Amino acid sequence: MANKFQGDQLIIGNLGDSRAILCTRERYQLIPIQLTVDLKPDLPSEATRIVNCEGRVFAAEEEPDVCRIWMPDDDCPGLAMSRSFGDFCLKDYGLISIPDVFYRKLSKQDEFVVLVSDGIWDVLTNNEVINIIASAPNRGIAAKLLVKKAVRAWRYIYLGSKVDDCMVVCLFLDDEQPVLSHSHSKNIGKHPSKHIHRN
């Protein structure tokens, strides 16, 4: 996922199952506005393209809630998104690398944009995410705080199973000099160790 500003225009290109949300304020209430669509293989338009290219879309028995794209005659690689860079073995079977592009005109009520990987969305809602970011004691640690809460939610909901990648980028809009905050989850379960935090 990539984002770009042109004046008061926000342009976001997405080709995975990450999500961008905007936090805007209506009087005293924070409102999440989902800016992108999670590009999962079971979205009707995505599934149609995949099936028309002879790919298959289904959920494996061990993960009945996770639809994946599969080769025509082999139960691999089982990719849980319908658009991606790489994954060359699926490119002839409906996987594409063309991003969905979303536009939004920003207003003075818009406070921040959050770009978040699917590991966060597996355990937190749009509302929870913007409230966690808004509650950070300072903007420089907002992304780190969200990752910490998501990891805690994974441990509680999935009872010790591996934690999916939790990556967060926050861009605060209401200053003359926007503040960027981003963070990755640390090594938990089967994922490699990586933790980045920068103001």
Side-chain angles (χ1 to χ4, degrees), residues 98-145:
I98 300 167
D100 260 358
V101 179
F102 302 87
Y103 301 88
R104 172 146 179 119
K105 183 173 181 175
L106 297 172
S107 74
K108 290 182 179 179
Q109 287 72 43
D110 298 334
E111 298 203 353
F112 56 84
V113 176
V114 189
L115 310 177
V116 183
S117 67
D118 64 316
I120 302 283
W121 303 122
D122 288 338
V123 292
L124 297 173
T125 66
N126 289 354
N127 256 323
E128 289 170 327
V129 164
I130 65 164
N131 284 315
I132 291 166
I133 296 296
S135 73
N138 69 70
R139 293 175 170 187
I141 66 164
K144 187 176 183 179
L145 179 64

Side-chain angles (χ1 to χ4, degrees), residues 11-137:
I11 305 166
I12 298 179
N14 180 35
L15 49 66
D17 55 359
S18 296
R19 184 184 308 163
I21 57 172
L22 171 74
C23 176
T24 194
R25 187 176 290 276
E26 289 184 9
R27 295 191 181 184
Y28 300 107
Q29 187 176 5
L30 296 177
I31 307 291
I33 297 173
Q34 188 167 322
L35 299 174
T36 62
V37 173
D38 304 359
L39 293 168
K40 303 283 192 181
D42 57 338
L43 280 175
S45 58
E46 301 293 291
T48 298
R49 182 189 68 248
I50 293 163
V51 170
N52 286 342
C53 293
E54 300 182 5
R56 296 178 299 150
V57 176
F58 64 90
E61 259 182 54
E62 59 272 14
E63 288 182 301
D65 298 328
V66 182
C67 279
R68 297 178 182 273
I69 177 173
W70 308 85
M71 302 278 283
D73 302 312
D74 197 2
D75 288 348
C76 72
L79 188 65
M81 64 188 81
S82 57
R83 302 188 190 199
S84 171
F85 288 125
D87 298 295
F88 295 110
C89 63
L90 288 170
K91 71 182 180 67
D92 293 329
Y93 303 108
L95 181 76
I96 61 173
S97 58
I98 300 167
D100 260 358
V101 179
F102 302 87
Y103 301 88
R104 172 146 179 119
K105 183 173 181 175
L106 297 172
S107 74
K108 290 182 179 179
Q109 287 72 43
D110 298 334
E111 298 203 353
F112 56 84
V113 176
V114 189
L115 310 177
V116 183
S117 67
D118 64 316
I120 302 283
W121 303 122
D122 288 338
V123 292
L124 297 173
T125 66
N126 289 354
N127 256 323
E128 289 170 327
V129 164
I130 65 164
N131 284 315
I132 291 166
I133 296 296
S135 73

Side-chain angles (χ1 to χ4, degrees), residues 155-183:
R155 290 176 174 158
Y156 177 76
I157 294 168
Y158 295 106
L159 299 176
S161 69
K162 67 181 179 69
V163 175
D164 199 358
D165 180 50
C166 295
M167 187 279 305
V168 177
V169 176
C170 304
L171 182 60
F172 294 90
L173 304 170
D174 60 351
D175 286 335
E176 287 181 18
Q177 186 67 36
V179 176
L180 176 68
S181 174
H182 65 86
S183 186

Side-chain angles (χ1 to χ4, degrees), residues 3-15:
N3 69 323
K4 181 179 180 181
F5 290 95
Q6 291 187 340
D8 61 355
Q9 302 292 318
L10 173 64
I11 305 166
I12 298 179
N14 180 35
L15 49 66

